[in-house]
Amino acid sequence: MMKFYLLSLKSVTILFTLFLLAGCGGEGGDDSSGGSSASFSYTGKTSAATASDSNYKDLALTGSYGSKMAITSNNVPSIGGRSLNQATILPNKLVIQLTKTPSGTSRSTRTSQDMSAEICESGSAVADGQGNENSGDFTITFTNCAIDVGDGTTAIYNGVAHSVYSSDDSFTISYQNFTIQYNGTTSSLNMTFSCDSNLNCTSYNDFSEDGITYRVSDASVYGDSSSGWNVSARVYHENYGYINIQASNLIMCDSGGFSSGSISITDSSNSEVISIVFDSCSSMTVTYNGNAETVSQ
């Protein structure tokens, strides 16, 4: 079996764990409606939302759902407690080495390959596609692939990672119906990273709640489950478009809502139009146009 460029597969895969949520650069900035720049499920409106008497409760829930998804996705395993942040987009490039043929070898193109023995303690990981040191397009399918993540514990990978890279060092890496089981919890990813040759990047995470499709774009998450989570993100609602959120000191409930903390929501006016204070795991106080109302989570 051909050895991989620069790093062993196991080393690359550990780094692969680190970048699952990471993003860099700015927002997508698409002002059209009815389209999507990701390859998955979100096909809703992509211009800025405008809060109104008829939709402010929906937008409040959008902020809450988006915060929950950002926090849940952030809880993928990392090495030695290392935090995920903007800088960790760089390991994204290393996943390309899973399928990239090194220059100067006798084989100029890599094709489909079973990488299970080098990546997985058990289970499988198989790459299908074609590429070389300049460009390529591969799909890597993980099936119950158990990986030692470097802290004495094991993560179980399932799902599809799609990697496309070009000679100018631009790349897109997507995760479709991807799950990671770790420390008794399961994180779900439906995420796309796209970076140009200057590492100006965007990231997207699409999900569904109550029959509505949402997208979280370029989320930044820090904090912990004890002191609370802080989230900055852009969240899209398929019917209304995107809002920008700033969440502080969010404490998650086992039921999936928040027991305390707050969220500030900015719409197309570029100013705060909705504020949320979480009262319990079942309710939140939503303030719009100076009027406060209790809304079910």
Side-chain angles (χ1 to χ4, degrees), residues 259-283:
S259 62
S260 62
S262 63
I263 300 176
S264 172
I265 295 177
T266 301
D267 71 349
S268 59
S269 66
N270 292 319
S271 59
E272 181 187 79
V273 291
I274 301 169
S275 65
I276 304 170
V277 175
F278 293 95
D279 309 310
S280 69
C281 292
S282 60
S283 67

Side-chain angles (χ1 to χ4, degrees), residues 9 25 30 32-33 43 55 79 121 125 159 162 172 186 199 203 281:
L9 281 174
D30 184 355
S32 62
S33 63
T43 56
N55 71 10
I79 298 173
E121 304 292 333
H162 183 205
T172 297
T186 299
L199 281 182
S203 63
C281 292

Side-chain angles (χ1 to χ4, degrees), residues 109-175:
T109 300
R110 184 184 298 285
T111 55
S112 301
Q113 184 170 349
D114 187 341
M115 302 180 295
S116 306
E118 294 193 56
I119 294 179
C120 309
E121 304 292 333
S122 60
S124 64
V126 179
D128 292 304
Q130 185 169 333
N132 55 36
E133 68 271 18
N134 294 315
S135 62
D137 187 334
F138 281 88
T139 297
I140 309 170
T141 301
F142 294 82
T143 304
N144 294 322
C145 178
I147 297 171
D148 181 351
V149 297
D151 59 359
T153 57
T154 299
I156 308 290
Y157 289 66
N158 278 284
V160 175
H162 183 205
S163 171
V164 179
Y165 57 93
S166 302
S167 58
D168 63 356
D169 290 330
S170 63
F171 61 90
T172 297
I173 302 174
S174 302
Y175 306 94

Side-chain angles (χ1 to χ4, degrees), residues 23-291:
C24 70
E27 301 288 351
D30 184 355
D31 290 327
S32 62
S33 63
S36 173
S37 55
S39 58
F40 302 150
S41 56
Y42 187 86
T43 56
K45 190 173 182 181
T46 54
S47 57
T50 300
S52 67
D53 290 336
S54 62
N55 71 10
Y56 75 90
K57 293 180 184 179
D58 290 336
L59 294 181
L61 287 172
T62 299
S64 178
Y65 292 155
S67 297
K68 180 182 70 174
M69 177 55 65
I71 294 167
T72 301
S73 296
N74 189 69
N75 288 328
V76 297
S78 61
I79 298 173
R82 180 178 173 184
S83 62
L84 297 169
N85 53 47
Q86 299 288 345
T88 56
I89 189 68
L90 294 177
N92 254 324
K93 296 190 72 176
L94 296 180
V95 78
I96 295 170
Q97 307 306 334
L98 291 171
T99 48
K100 191 172 183 179
T101 299
S103 59
T105 63
S106 59
R107 185 179 177 189
S108 61
T109 300
R110 184 184 298 285
T111 55
S112 301
Q113 184 170 349
D114 187 341
M115 302 180 295
S116 306
E118 294 193 56
I119 294 179
C120 309
E121 304 292 333
S122 60
S124 64
V126 179
D128 292 304
Q130 185 169 333
N132 55 36
E133 68 271 18
N134 294 315
S135 62
D137 187 334
F138 281 88
T139 297
I140 309 170
T141 301
F142 294 82
T143 304
N144 294 322
C145 178
I147 297 171
D148 181 351
V149 297
D151 59 359
T153 57
T154 299
I156 308 290
Y157 289 66
N158 278 284
V160 175
H162 183 205
S163 171
V164 179
Y165 57 93
S166 302
S167 58
D168 63 356
D169 290 330
S170 63
F171 61 90
T172 297
I173 302 174
S174 302
Y175 306 94
Q176 187 170 13
N177 299 322
F178 205 96
T179 63
I180 301 174
Q181 295 172 265
Y182 176 72
N183 273 353
T185 64
T186 299
S187 297
S188 299
L189 297 174
N190 192 22
M191 183 174 285
T192 298
F193 296 93
S194 295
C195 298
D196 65 20
S197 57
N198 296 314
L199 281 182
N200 296 311
C201 307
T202 56
S203 63
Y204 307 96
N205 193 347
D206 295 348
F207 65 100
S208 180
E209 290 278 356
D210 299 327
I212 300 294
T213 303
Y214 301 87
R215 165 177 291 174
V216 177
S217 174
D218 294 301
S220 173
V221 180
Y222 65 95
D224 56 51
S225 58
S226 299
S227 61
W229 296 101
N230 302 281
V231 180
S232 176
R234 178 167 289 185
V235 188
Y236 296 75
H237 183 292
E238 65 178 32
N239 296 324
Y240 304 120
Y242 71 79
I243 55 175
N244 293 316
I245 64 170
Q246 293 287 336
S248 301
N249 304 315
L250 297 176
I251 301 294
M252 292 190 70
C253 305
D254 291 339
S255 60
F258 298 106
S259 62
S260 62
S262 63
I263 300 176
S264 172
I265 295 177
T266 301
D267 71 349
S268 59
S269 66
N270 292 319
S271 59
E272 181 187 79
V273 291
I274 301 169
S275 65
I276 304 170
V277 175
F278 293 95
D279 309 310
S280 69
C281 292
S282 60
S283 67
M284 58 187 182
T285 298
V286 177
T287 301
Y288 172 70
N289 271 348
N291 299 314

